[in-house]
Amino acid sequence: QASSPSALAPLRPLFRLVCHALTSPRLAEFAALADDMPSSASPVAEAAAQAEQAERRIARALAELSGGAAETPVIGSLADAVFASSARVLLLSLRSMPAAVRSFWEQLPRRRDRDLVERLVTRSFASIIMQSEGTSAQAVLEAQKNRFPDVEATVARRAKQLVLLLERDELRAELCVQLPEAFPLRIAIAELPEKMPGIPRPRVRNWMLQARQVLAGPKPCGVASAMLMWSQSFALFFNGVEDCPICYNVVHLTTQTIPRKACPTCKHKFHNECLYHWWRSSAKTTCPLCNQPF
């Protein structure tokens, strides 16, 4: 999942080949079967028809992959096989390694190529990925319900939005995640809730910053991870668990743990990872708050 140049290098030729196959007007022309354009068609109309044909073939290939095809597509030529295989590879890549595909797209040298790939993802892939993110988020919340037993957490789908609805007794809160049209090429954005009853605004901002870090991170299912951490933070706050004074969050970003390491003097609790990092960087083993030996 690393998006560094060295980690991305082996995948770059694959992504380039797949995107070229799916955006090539010449290949779309070869893939045309019974819906050929008349010879008198203008170049603009012909290009539009080729793009429409390509989108239909991509949709059929992806429907077959997800098991939702009404009928099994007939592969009538090598071009059709290339289209189908390329569509499936790109979909699986967008699902399992979104940061790698995003990095490839951002590093394309020509703006024309970036626009082509963005349009391709927007028209043929984004809606499938959005639906998958919503399903994954709900599944993760149900599977991890034991982490927040006193909170009812559900995911609602709205137009280009996934909304986490939280309910504890009579308290209700929500986290809205905006999904851009070219998701996941463009990163989902968590919006700061207008109201979080009973929770200080600074703590809500800290949780929001953490959610945005997760959404911009390299791992797949970022929306599900952000919503899980938000649900845990919401539940732990009402159970009296304080934020870590170093990272200002209840749930650690990578280990998913809560602050447990208590200072013997001031009694503040820290994440183990945050505290060890503090000691390494400061070359001291004192409490970051009271400066007394730990």
Side-chain angles (χ1 to χ4, degrees), residues 9 14 17 88 96 130 145 164 182 192 204 252 256 263 266:
L14 173 64
L17 177 62
R88 294 165 191 164
S96 60
M130 290 178 189
K145 176 63 178 174
L164 172 65
L192 188 66
V204 176
H252 192 270
Q256 305 291 300
C263 171
C266 68

Side-chain angles (χ1 to χ4, degrees), residues 217-256:
K219 295 183 179 180
C221 299
V223 174
S225 299
M227 289 185 171
L228 176 61
M229 297 180 76
W230 191 270
S231 301
Q232 289 179 263
S233 298
F234 182 82
L236 291 168
F237 171 80
F238 289 104
N239 289 335
V241 180
E242 294 291 332
D243 290 348
C244 171
I246 297 177
C247 71
Y248 301 108
N249 285 300
V250 180
V251 182
H252 192 270
L253 188 62
T254 56
T255 63
Q256 305 291 300

